[in-house]
Amino acid sequence: NPDGGANFDLGRAPSRTEALVMLIRLLGKESGALSGSWTHPFADVPAWADQYVGFAYVNKLTNGVSDTEFGTGTASSQMYLTFVLRALGYSDAGGADFAWDTPEHLAQGVGILPERVQHENFLRADVALVSEAALSARLKDSPDTLLDKLIADGAVVQMP
């Protein structure tokens, strides 16, 4: 904002790149992403996002829309739910736990899909809602939540 305050632009649709950056920040991995020498095979990633996309690609949080394109258009709810499910340890490889284009059933089952999330008009506000819900979600095959993992990793400091 002109006054220097943050403008999260919650009423705007996120780009796929923005959604991925939000995921990396949710996981407390931004400094690791920005300090690494990550590579990816995608020709359409803006320069500012190269390290984010490389980090996510190397860590199997994202795939491209093709072998050479990341896909920098608007993110759908399915895309962001897939990112978050992968971060929780679930796999869409070969349909192991879910299909990337229909993650809603598993997302509901693990508690990362609040009722207020808009599927047809997915906005940055919806990214925030899914991200908040993910903190309480259990990691695959674990009693620990994502928040427990973030605390254990030192990404989040638990207040007394």
Side-chain angles (χ1 to χ4, degrees):
N1 289 326
D3 67 0
N7 177 2
F8 298 110
D9 211 2
L10 299 176
R12 181 174 63 78
S15 71
R16 183 170 155 87
T17 308
E18 291 170 338
L20 184 65
V21 169
M22 179 66 172
L23 174 75
I24 291 169
R25 290 176 177 168
L26 168 68
L27 299 176
K29 301 291 186 183
E30 184 172 33
S31 63
L34 295 176
S35 65
S37 297
W38 314 103
T39 60
H40 60 77
F42 310 122
D44 62 339
V45 175
W48 70 265
D50 264 337
Q51 289 176 284
Y52 290 106
V53 173
F55 173 86
Y57 181 76
V58 167
N59 287 284
K60 301 192 182 323
L61 296 172
T62 191
N63 298 316
V65 296
S66 76
D67 289 343
T68 59
E69 287 185 48
F70 174 68
T72 57
T74 302
S76 66
S77 62
Q78 291 85 2
M79 287 177 188
Y80 194 64
L81 292 170
T82 294
F83 289 162
V84 174
L85 288 169
R86 288 176 182 155
L88 293 172
Y90 295 94
S91 176
D92 58 315
D97 297 311
F98 70 101
W100 71 267
D101 58 345
T102 55
E104 296 87 356
H105 181 72
L106 179 58
Q108 285 175 331
V110 301
I112 65 166
L113 185 55
E115 288 183 24
R116 298 181 311 195
V117 170
Q118 300 178 50
H119 298 282
E120 298 302 316
N121 186 27
F122 191 67
L123 303 174
R124 290 166 58 108
D126 299 307
V127 170
L129 290 171
V130 171
S131 298
E132 178 186 26
L135 292 171
S136 300
R138 298 209 182 287
L139 303 172
K140 182 180 177 183
D141 299 328
S142 173
D144 295 333
T145 65
L146 178 57
L147 182 57
D148 294 333
K149 181 177 181 347
L150 294 174
I151 291 169
D153 290 350
V156 173
V157 177
Q158 187 173 17
M159 301 302 287

